[in-house]
Amino acid sequence: MAKLRSSLLAPALAIAASALLCGVILLLSGANPFDALGAMVGQVGEGQVAVDIVNSTAIYMLAALAAAIGFQMNLLNIGIEGQYRIGALVAAIVGSALVLPPVLHWIVILIVAMIAGALWALLPAILKVTRGVHEVLSTIMMNAIAFGLAAYLIRRDQFGILIGNNVSTEPIADSGLVPGIEFGDRGTMFGLVFLAVVAAAIYGMTMNRTRFGFELKASGLSPTAASAGGVDAKRMIVISLLASGAVAGLVGMPEILGRDHAYTLNFAAGYGFAGLGIALLGRNHPLGIAFGALLWAFLEKSKGALDSVGVPREIATIMQGSIVLSVVIAYEVVKRFDQAAEQRRVGRALGTAEPADPSAEPEREASK
């Protein structure tokens, strides 16, 4: 029970702190925080906003799961942004060149995306275990290369074609598209929303119910101790980064296979960095990640309503950023609180805790 309380307390403190900060900012600007919140909540019932929130939640979940795999190994995979971009581009190119039966077609596309994402994380993994290059530096550099490579490959003299005023890869045939769920005027929910749910379930089972998950977390806590126990820490580093890259490769698939049908010049950016914050908010737990992704998607999709009450929509972006900052502080506060509580429990168990009534101490000594 105490562990569950600690797991929920830190995210709750972070959200409360960020809400308080944004409330103060709104008051200083002359706006009513409750009007702003009411407008955002009311926006959910308008048009396609609710379905858009569900679709974005699935995408954010995949990005956060990719980050969480690295976090379990104490690795900061900043390269998710580049990995999902390369995965989406390669999958779109391969998918448009294939003609396969419907289900097999989009399964092959998903596998290609995972392989491309994993291979984009391979070089940072090798540099980490062979040369000690920190993964933050190498993955950031790989992001820059990914952006440039994607821009080159989508040129019209490479794999790009001009459709209207936009440049994209060849459209994927209907057999490679994943059908969604129609809600009429409310929009269409991506079929790959369920992929995020399955991925979260597999992640949770792997990390908490398998030997591999135990070895991964043990290697992250102490590579030396894990090696002494027979676990190859370097091998676990490579596997965790490859697995993180593979999941990252899936981030762009809901949009490509459910809406765009191709990799376009204005392909969505920012999911990778958002995933890092959501994984922190969810404490690398699948349910926490799902909640964090839903909150993030809500702030992102409902901020348009702020204009109607005279509040800059950037306040939602401020809240997203303050959540990331607050969550780090909240975790440290909760961690110290738990450590102090554990020390008191151990002290009471060993009989070394301070007596509840200091005046009773002389009487106890006299009775001895």
Side-chain angles (χ1 to χ4, degrees), residues 49-336:
V49 175
V51 174
D52 288 343
I53 289 175
V54 174
N55 289 338
S56 294
T57 297
I59 297 172
Y60 285 132
M61 280 181 64
L62 290 172
L65 289 171
I69 293 173
F71 286 155
Q72 294 284 9
M73 188 65 193
N74 275 342
L75 298 173
L76 191 56
N77 182 12
I78 304 294
I80 296 173
E81 190 75 17
Q83 291 154 14
Y84 88 77
R85 187 173 294 272
I86 291 298
L89 175 59
V90 174
I93 293 173
V94 173
S96 64
L98 295 177
V99 179
L100 296 171
V103 176
L104 180 61
H105 195 171
W106 57 259
I107 288 178
V108 169
I109 293 175
L110 293 177
I111 293 174
V112 170
M114 294 180 68
I115 293 174
L119 290 178
W120 203 251
L122 179 60
L123 181 57
I126 294 175
L127 292 175
K128 174 76 173 179
V129 298
T130 60
R131 298 298 180 186
V133 178
H134 201 284
E135 69 278 1
V136 170
L137 298 176
S138 57
T139 52
I140 285 178
M141 297 299 291
M142 293 299 290
N143 279 346
I145 297 173
F147 298 152
L149 180 61
Y152 171 75
L153 292 178
I154 204 174
R155 287 174 45 172
R156 294 174 62 185
D157 57 344
Q158 298 298 323
F159 296 98
I161 60 173
L162 183 63
I163 300 180
N165 294 325
N166 197 6
V167 178
S168 72
T169 59
E170 290 280 353
I172 299 173
D174 291 344
S175 60
L177 306 181
V178 180
I181 301 177
E182 297 282 349
F183 288 95
D185 295 337
R186 295 292 184 180
T188 302
M189 186 177 77
F190 295 150
L192 288 182
V193 164
F194 301 102
L195 174 64
V197 177
V198 172
I202 293 175
Y203 164 81
M205 290 291 295
T206 302
M207 292 300 167
N208 299 314
R209 302 287 183 178
T210 67
R211 177 178 177 178
F212 171 79
F214 172 79
E215 292 180 348
L216 184 69
K217 290 187 285 188
S219 300
L221 291 173
S222 176
T224 304
S227 298
V231 180
D232 189 342
K234 290 186 176 181
R235 174 175 168 270
M236 298 307 295
I237 289 174
V238 174
I239 292 176
S240 62
L241 280 176
L242 291 182
S244 178
V247 176
L250 295 173
V251 171
M253 291 297 98
E255 291 184 341
I256 287 182
L257 299 186
R259 185 190 62 198
D260 299 334
H261 307 165
Y263 182 96
T264 63
L265 189 62
N266 55 356
F267 185 68
Y271 290 136
F273 297 116
L276 294 170
I278 294 169
L280 286 173
L281 179 61
R283 299 202 73 176
N284 301 327
H285 190 282
L287 292 180
I289 286 173
F291 171 76
L294 179 61
L295 174 62
W296 208 273
F298 164 74
L299 293 173
E300 183 66 30
K301 297 300 179 180
S302 63
K303 64 184 181 183
L306 295 176
D307 292 334
S308 63
V309 293
V311 176
R313 64 176 62 191
E314 286 75 17
I315 194 68
T317 305
I318 294 174
M319 179 171 283
Q320 288 174 329
S322 62
I323 286 175
V324 177
L325 294 176
S326 300
V327 75
V328 177
I329 300 173
Y331 286 164
E332 185 62 26
V333 171
V334 172
K335 178 183 177 181
R336 295 189 179 187

